[in-house]
Amino acid sequence: MMSSSEESDVFEKIEASHEKKKPILLYLPGLDGVGISGIRQFDDLSNTFEFWRMMIDRSSDRSSFTELTTAVSSFIQEVAIENNRDVILVGESFGGLLAPSVALRVQSMTKRKAMKSPIKGMVLVNPATSFDKTQWSTL
């Protein structure tokens, strides 16, 4: 885990590479925690967007859905809201459930502060909306 000063350094290096002109695309993966199925598209997407991908270490991270929503919302607060940046959320499978939760949390945060939400779009890729009807729900 990075310290907040290390995280700040990472943000500054990425922002400096394109002068904060690209919109932020935040990819939220499925149950694999890294987005293996989308890897082929990531390079192309990074040409147009400042591409960020949430990664979850499945061997050690046992964060709840609420904790993940809070973590992603806090990331958006730090990277986008405080810097007046646009964000597009892309959620795949489980991430397709997480993305609307994050969007609602960010909307609530910005509404309380009388600010405009940075979220300009949301793409749901094969969202896990029928999870309870699969064999996964019994495991």
Side-chain angles (χ1 to χ4, degrees), residues 68-81:
L68 290 173
T69 299
T70 299
V72 175
S73 300
S74 296
F75 173 82
I76 291 172
Q77 167 74 33
E78 184 175 342
V79 173
I81 296 173

Side-chain angles (χ1 to χ4, degrees), residues 27-76:
Y27 176 83
L28 307 174
L31 288 176
D32 69 353
V34 294
I36 290 173
S37 64
I39 286 178
R40 285 189 185 163
Q41 290 81 30
F42 295 164
D43 283 342
D44 288 340
L45 289 168
S46 65
N47 290 327
T48 305
F49 300 98
E50 179 179 306
F51 184 84
W52 289 88
R53 173 175 51 152
M54 180 179 83
M55 295 179 69
I56 301 170
D57 182 355
R58 294 183 329 166
S59 66
S60 63
D61 191 334
R62 296 292 180 239
S63 298
S64 70
F65 186 84
T66 303
E67 291 168 331
L68 290 173
T69 299
T70 299
V72 175
S73 300
S74 296
F75 173 82
I76 291 172

Side-chain angles (χ1 to χ4, degrees), residues 130-139:
S130 298
F131 182 79
D132 60 334
K133 295 178 178 65
T134 67
Q135 292 179 348
W136 287 102
S137 66
T138 60
L139 296 177

Side-chain angles (χ1 to χ4, degrees), residues 84-100:
N84 197 28
R85 305 280 307 278
D86 291 341
V87 176
I88 297 176
L89 295 174
V90 175
E92 180 176 8
S93 189
F94 169 77
L97 300 177
L98 185 59

Side-chain angles (χ1 to χ4, degrees), residues 77 81 102-119:
Q77 167 74 33
I81 296 173
V102 168
L104 288 170
R105 173 79 58 90
V106 169
Q107 183 179 21
S108 177
M109 285 172 20
T110 54
K111 192 174 188 179
R112 278 194 309 267
K113 297 178 181 181
M115 299 171 70
K116 188 173 83 172
S117 175
I119 298 178

